[in-house]
Amino acid sequence: MKHAPLVDQLIHAFTCLPGVGPRSAQRMAYALLDRGREQGRRLGDALHAAMDGVQHCQRCRNYAEAELCPICESPKRDSSLICIVATPADVLAFEQSGEYLGQYFVLMGELSPLDGIGPRELGLDVLEQRLQGGEIRELILATGTTVEGEATAHYVLDIAQDAGVQVTRIAQGVPMGGDLEFVDGATLAQALKARRPFGS
Amino acid sequence: MKHAPLVDQLIHAFTCLPGVGPRSAQRMAYALLDRGREQGRRLGDALHAAMDGVQHCQRCRNYAEAELCPICESPKRDSSLICIVATPADVLAFEQSGEYLGQYFVLMGELSPLDGIGPRELGLDVLEQRLQGGEIRELILATGTTVEGEATAHYVLDIAQDAGVQVTRIAQGVPMGGDLEFVDGATLAQALKARRPFGS
């Protein structure tokens, strides 16, 4: 004897989410059934709407509901300046800083040959064509500092140099407003190596 | 500038789940959008089906897809023996033991006056009527050993005694097959207090 079949189906469906095992899935199903049916229906609607309505921007690969995302469509953004990031969350972080007025290219991952993620999966063939096209002036690398992030950064550097496009990388160093004692050794070593003249 | 609206709506909808904050919600949305659209649609379907199709058994309050759940409907189950549990998961645990052939009464919670959960919210008025009806021979208490569980157990004890129905409680003691050194002190003290003659 188990739960009512619809309850079991719901619990099973929840386990497709990252970080959700059978126990949390059961807790989620109970919570919605016991005191959140309306929220449950809303989540169901949101899932269908997003699964069917969200595509990737043809230009920058970020999530979009039309062929182009709002950033790629905006005439206010400098389309000759492209920042390379791994995920849509990174775009959000840059946008929240309010400092960046160029456009993005969202890899939706990082190079990881063992997982079958090569340049094509990240759209790097498309980026290469755009670089060859000559309308890009500067490429800013903002991929992560993991092994995969570094490998991806070097691959992009190669194709940009082939196309004669300038490549920069966002500065690595100590975070603003933080106490030095909480900064890890690798970051501190990098901050020391990349020190710059002060007072100039 | 934020995510595409449908993505933001999905992330927001995920945060209604217990234990899911904005970060995990974003991770869930990305996972489904990037490599699980079909799973996402299935989860949406399962949500709608469960929110609309799951009700409570009129007899035992467990989840059911009809007026009565399969256990209350089964002629093989002894309807004069009722086990009181807090949640549908507890019913599952008893059923998996395969030892119990009576029926259940599922409180769907425990008494917690500060949270507005009184006897009515747990269906204890309905249980009281059934106890007065005279068809119940024995009530087995299997609520938790927390303060709320104990309060609930004593409330049920009161209404059962008023109706002249025998009340028992599942044994508390050391778990089967476990090493004594891993058993907590309170459990061990209870096991000692409730010791029984051996070899009889």
Side-chain angles (χ1 to χ4, degrees):
Chain A
M1 199 65 72
K2 310 222 283 178
H3 284 111
L6 290 177
V7 180
D8 271 331
Q9 273 163 37
L10 179 58
I11 293 174
H12 180 76
F14 270 131
T15 59
C16 76
L17 297 173
V20 177
R23 286 240 154 219
S24 346
Q26 181 178 292
R27 202 156 53 100
M28 289 171 175
Y30 285 5
L32 294 181
L33 287 167
D34 291 348
R35 44 182 195 284
R37 302 247 174 167
E38 210 32 68
Q39 288 175 313
R41 287 190 194 95
R42 269 205 296 275
L43 176 55
D45 290 339
L47 276 162
H48 278 292
M51 297 302 118
D52 295 338
V54 176
Q55 44 181 302
H56 291 276
C57 171
Q58 305 267 313
R59 213 173 148 79
C60 76
R61 292 170 49 92
N62 199 354
Y63 295 132
E65 287 170 33
E67 283 211 356
L68 291 184
C69 73
I71 296 179
C72 284
E73 238 175 7
S74 166
K76 291 189 191 143
R77 312 290 297 230
D78 180 355
S79 64
S80 70
L81 182 64
I82 305 285
C83 182
I84 310 281
V85 295
T87 72
D90 299 334
V91 173
L92 238 65
F94 271 103
E95 292 299 296
Q96 270 154 15
S97 84
E99 285 293 313
Y100 183 64
L101 291 171
Q103 296 185 341
Y104 299 92
F105 190 81
V106 187
L107 300 170
M108 293 284 172
E110 290 176 331
L111 284 179
S112 181
L114 289 181
D115 302 317
I117 303 177
R120 274 188 74 88
E121 282 67 35
L122 303 181
L124 289 171
D125 46 345
V126 179
L127 179 67
E128 195 168 3
Q129 281 180 359
R130 275 182 67 192
L131 286 166
Q132 299 283 355
E135 91 259 40
I136 298 176
R137 174 173 52 89
E138 182 183 344
L139 218 55
I140 304 173
L141 288 172
T143 51
T145 52
T146 56
V147 177
E148 291 83 7
E150 293 289 340
T152 312
H154 281 96
Y155 188 96
V156 175
L157 179 66
D158 278 350
I159 59 175
Q161 284 181 334
D162 283 349
V165 171
Q166 190 197 355
V167 179
T168 58
R169 181 157 196 181
I170 55 170
Q172 298 171 332
V174 298
M176 306 290 288
D179 266 331
L180 265 199
E181 57 176 318
F182 300 121
V183 174
D184 66 290
T187 301
L188 214 47
Q190 168 62 26
L192 206 57
K193 214 169 73 184
R195 67 189 180 278
R196 302 199 304 173
F198 185 61
S200 60
Chain B
M1 199 64 72
K2 309 222 281 177
H3 283 112
L6 290 177
V7 179
D8 271 330
Q9 273 163 38
L10 179 58
I11 293 174
H12 179 75
F14 270 130
T15 59
C16 75
L17 297 173
V20 176
R23 287 240 152 219
S24 346
Q26 180 178 292
R27 201 156 54 98
M28 290 172 174
Y30 286 5
L32 293 181
L33 287 167
D34 290 348
R35 44 182 196 281
R37 302 246 173 167
E38 211 32 68
Q39 288 175 313
R41 287 189 195 96
R42 269 204 296 275
L43 176 55
D45 289 340
L47 276 162
H48 278 292
M51 296 303 117
D52 295 339
V54 176
Q55 43 180 302
H56 291 276
C57 173
Q58 305 266 313
R59 214 173 149 77
C60 76
R61 291 170 49 93
N62 199 354
Y63 295 133
E65 288 169 32
E67 282 210 358
L68 291 183
C69 73
I71 295 179
C72 285
E73 236 176 9
S74 166
K76 293 190 189 141
R77 312 288 298 231
D78 180 355
S79 64
S80 70
L81 184 62
I82 304 285
C83 182
I84 310 280
V85 295
T87 72
D90 299 334
V91 173
L92 238 65
F94 271 103
E95 292 299 296
Q96 270 154 16
S97 84
E99 285 294 313
Y100 183 64
L101 290 171
Q103 296 185 341
Y104 299 91
F105 190 82
V106 187
L107 301 170
M108 292 285 173
E110 289 175 332
L111 283 180
S112 181
L114 289 181
D115 303 317
I117 304 178
R120 275 188 72 87
E121 281 67 34
L122 302 181
L124 288 170
D125 47 344
V126 179
L127 180 67
E128 195 168 2
Q129 282 182 358
R130 275 182 67 191
L131 286 167
Q132 300 283 356
E135 92 259 39
I136 297 176
R137 173 172 52 89
E138 181 183 346
L139 219 54
I140 304 173
L141 289 171
T143 51
T145 51
T146 56
V147 177
E148 290 83 7
E150 293 290 339
T152 312
H154 280 96
Y155 187 96
V156 175
L157 179 66
D158 279 350
I159 60 174
Q161 283 181 334
D162 283 350
V165 172
Q166 188 196 355
V167 179
T168 57
R169 180 158 196 182
I170 55 170
Q172 298 170 332
V174 298
M176 306 289 287
D179 267 331
L180 265 198
E181 58 175 318
F182 300 121
V183 174
D184 66 290
T187 302
L188 215 47
Q190 167 63 24
L192 206 55
K193 214 168 70 184
R195 68 189 179 279
R196 302 198 305 173
F198 185 60
S200 60

